[in-house]
Amino acid sequence: MNQALDIFRSSGYCFSRNPVFLNSSRNSPAFLLHKQNFPQEHLAAPLFEKYRRLVCSKRAVNSKPFIPTESNSLCVEAETCDGADFSAVPHVQTLREFPKEELSEKVVMVRFDSKLLFQQLQERKIQCENAVSTIKYLHEAGAKVILISSWDADDENTMKIVRAESIAGALSSVLQVKVVPVKLVTTHIHSAKQESNIILLENLFQFKEEPANCKGFARLLSSGVDIFVNDAFSQSHRVLASTVAISRFCYASIAGFHFEAVLSQLKNITKTSQKPYVAIIGGGNLVEKAAALRLLVSICDGLVFVGNIAFQIMHALGLPLPMKLVEHGATEEALTLINSMKSRSRAVIVPKDFLCLNNLNPEKLEIFSADCLVGNLLILGQSHWRKLPHWFQNKILWIGPVRFGLSHSDAGEASRLGAVVDRLRSQNNLETILVGKVACTTVLGSNLNYSVIENASVVWEFLKGRSLPGLMALDRSYPFDIKWDGVYDDPTRPLVVDVGSGNGLFLFGMAKKTKDLNFLGLEINGKLVNRCLERVLQTGMKNGYFIRTNATSTFRSIISSYPGELVLVSIQCPNPDFNKPEHRWEMVQRSLIEAIADLLALDGKVFLQSDIEGVAIRMKSEFVKYGKGKIMVMDESEDASCYQRQWLNENPFGVRSDWEQHVLDRGANMYRLLLSKPAIIAGSTCRG
């Protein structure tokens, strides 16, 4: 690796304090800029090293190992990558992680990528297999599968199929399972439950409610659906009813195999472990892409500008260019990028000479130096690419088209650049990431050893630090393996979990009172979690801990790794505004209840309480409805003195939460009940 980096340093062109442009000659390099050695250490430290230092600093304060949360990990990434908002890439629940047995007899709606499944290009074989395997996996798991998508007959990249019947026939051939077309009405769910085959709803392209992210349309679309699987990553940057609003009405929203695979490739763009890392950047509209380019400057060792965006960099450097090649407002942004590249000693490369037609002699192709371009020239492309091999050793990102000037086609330039990239990859075993239609269709051919993301718009949005709506709508999963022996002195003790632990008053009181149990608080508010963790460190508590997370989505992934038994789960005083059935992020959701029902030990308990009777009633009914017959309300006759009407008179644990104490101090009522997972279900001991 070091040898490769040395080669890259010695052959590269970089900024110097007093730039002097190289003279043009046929034997000189095909790219232009100024020579200077790279710094000895890359300015953007690898994420792992940054995290290692953070962990070490925490260990210096206390011998207990620091457990990363979703918040502090993302902060590390954002700082490392020079301001990009990497909270835009949350860890989401995937079909691969979802319990397969939970799919049986469930109605599962899959948003698939129509272009991906219908196009028969060789370069998409792997991605197509991922997309197909999602649907096959669900069908074989016993799920009732409903497919939805949008296809535009005017799109040249889509097969000339308009009618859903024809689409269903094509899908049947690909999936080797009969696909039945059904109209978009509420009866399609009843059809799905009765049908052993896969159902395809009509084309969403014809519904104006789809791009409007219409809530009512999404409710109709998802009527009766249990689980939503998004496998259309190419649409994740758009706000659509079939990818965003629909997640409000399904108890689980997860990523399919194709979505997961492309998301992994997207994250790989920002990884800096492979050195040197060079980005080939094409296209235009520098102003719109400026934020993304600043990020690439921070993580890449070299940037090769091609196409119209190269002219903006050249103009900012002082090269004389016809103003028709300069984008309005681009010069200031280009200068900012240049200053950033100078300060980081990044290698920056622009074309050195161009193949042009002269209006004075339109029949003759000529090569003109980059500093000799005049207004009467029609620029067709770069003269040659042959010096690129000296610059590429380990990792390449190619994003954007290669169109120069006013040319209407970049096929020739893309083919020549693609041939070079393909040769470099095969000769040097480069890790190669292709982004955008031009890069993907030009390079791939019959070779599959590439990371491919065809929709460049998704990547540009990601690099700008913007959230991807289709991604953000999915359920979260906890991204870390928890070292329980570092959290508790004895991780085999029975576990008590408080969902929505707030400031931790209940758990701290319980942990102090009962030393033979371990206590874990799951809370979405990062500030409250940090305060609780500080108190844990200050008091030296060995049987209590707190994690910042959305427990609704991550409860199963966190608790399933705990080595001991789960004996008690408490959900106390959830915000009533967050418990409306139509609210996507309500705390007591079906996914949480099913996870508790599966993971709770026999004779384990669930404690529910609220100061709003309607909220308490709803929590009770949800547990009875979705508890899989495992969770029962404890019979009042066991201790009638503890109950008033249907609620417990007193807190059975003798430890109050902060809100419970506040409610009682003002003389209001608390509505409490205790549920159980009995070893033997009998009418005499439990009731539903």
Side-chain angles (χ1 to χ4, degrees), residues 123-282:
E123 64 267 20
R124 295 191 187 167
K125 184 177 179 182
I126 291 178
Q127 295 195 54
C128 186
E129 287 178 355
N130 281 329
V132 169
S133 63
T134 293
I135 302 171
K136 285 186 174 181
Y137 177 87
L138 291 167
H139 183 68
E140 292 170 358
K144 307 296 184 180
V145 181
I146 301 175
L147 303 180
I148 56 172
S149 191
S150 174
W151 54 91
D152 181 2
D154 296 328
D155 190 336
E156 64 180 4
N157 295 318
T158 305
M159 292 177 63
K160 299 298 182 180
I161 301 176
V162 179
R163 295 175 59 85
E165 291 79 4
S166 300
I167 295 288
L171 284 172
S172 297
S173 176
V174 172
L175 297 169
Q176 296 298 301
V177 178
K178 186 177 180 180
V179 178
V180 180
V182 176
K183 290 290 185 181
L184 180 56
V185 291
T186 54
T187 55
H188 69 264
I189 300 302
H190 302 292
S191 301
K193 292 182 177 179
Q194 301 298 323
E195 182 66 58
S196 60
N197 300 309
I198 295 173
I199 284 180
L200 171 69
L201 297 189
E202 55 191 310
N203 188 0
L204 298 181
F205 181 76
Q206 60 187 311
F207 296 97
K208 62 182 180 181
E209 296 88 349
E210 162 72 345
N213 192 35
C214 176
K215 180 179 175 181
F217 180 70
R219 181 185 288 109
L220 171 65
L221 196 64
S222 62
S223 176
V225 172
D226 299 309
I227 301 169
F228 170 64
V229 177
N230 190 347
D231 219 21
F233 187 85
S234 64
Q235 302 300 311
S236 59
H237 65 302
R238 303 180 63 194
V239 183
L240 304 174
S242 65
T243 59
V244 178
I246 192 173
S247 64
R248 288 172 168 261
F249 307 105
C250 304
Y251 85 84
S253 297
I254 59 182
F257 295 142
H258 169 66
F259 195 108
E260 179 188 7
V262 182
L263 179 60
S264 177
Q265 294 170 2
L266 183 71
K267 293 178 180 178
N268 187 38
I269 291 176
T270 61
K271 292 181 180 178
T272 59
S273 57
Q274 293 280 73
K275 297 293 182 182
Y277 180 11
V278 181
I280 302 172
I281 304 167

Side-chain angles (χ1 to χ4, degrees), residues 491-520:
T492 64
R493 286 192 296 243
L495 181 67
V496 174
V497 177
D498 188 23
V499 177
S501 54
N503 63 14
L505 185 62
F506 174 75
L507 276 193
F508 282 117
M510 290 284 286
K512 184 178 180 179
K513 180 179 179 181
T514 311
K515 299 294 185 179
D516 57 348
L517 297 176
N518 287 333
F519 297 87
L520 178 65

Side-chain angles (χ1 to χ4, degrees), residues 41-110:
E41 295 185 6
H42 191 255
L43 294 179
L47 298 184
F48 178 79
E49 177 62 21
K50 188 82 173 184
Y51 169 64
R52 186 189 65 78
R53 292 199 299 267
L54 178 61
V55 173
C56 291
S57 67
K58 295 289 183 179
R59 285 177 175 168
V61 177
N62 189 284
S63 59
K64 182 181 295 186
F66 174 68
I67 302 299
T69 67
E70 291 166 295
S71 58
N72 60 40
S73 174
L74 293 175
C75 290
V76 171
E77 293 186 54
E79 181 181 349
T80 302
C81 295
D82 197 38
D85 181 11
F86 280 85
S87 61
V89 191
H91 294 266
V92 297
Q93 188 69 257
T94 65
L95 180 59
R96 195 179 312 278
E97 300 167 342
F98 196 83
K100 190 173 183 178
E101 62 274 10
E102 295 299 317
L103 298 172
S104 180
E105 298 302 316
K106 298 288 173 56
V107 178
V108 181
M109 180 163 280
V110 180

Side-chain angles (χ1 to χ4, degrees), residues 573-593:
C573 304
N575 189 328
D577 294 335
F578 283 76
N579 274 272
K580 297 178 181 178
E582 66 272 14
H583 199 291
R584 175 68 186 94
W585 300 116
E586 60 186 355
M587 180 185 292
V588 185
Q589 288 190 35
R590 179 176 174 178
S591 56
L592 174 62
I593 295 171

Side-chain angles (χ1 to χ4, degrees), residues 548-582:
R548 180 197 172 183
T549 188
N550 178 5
T552 301
S553 300
T554 63
F555 186 93
R556 186 184 296 273
S557 61
I558 292 175
I559 305 304
S560 61
S561 67
Y562 183 74
E565 287 189 327
L566 175 65
V567 295
L568 173 64
V569 177
S570 63
I571 303 176
Q572 306 182 54
C573 304
N575 189 328
D577 294 335
F578 283 76
N579 274 272
K580 297 178 181 178
E582 66 272 14

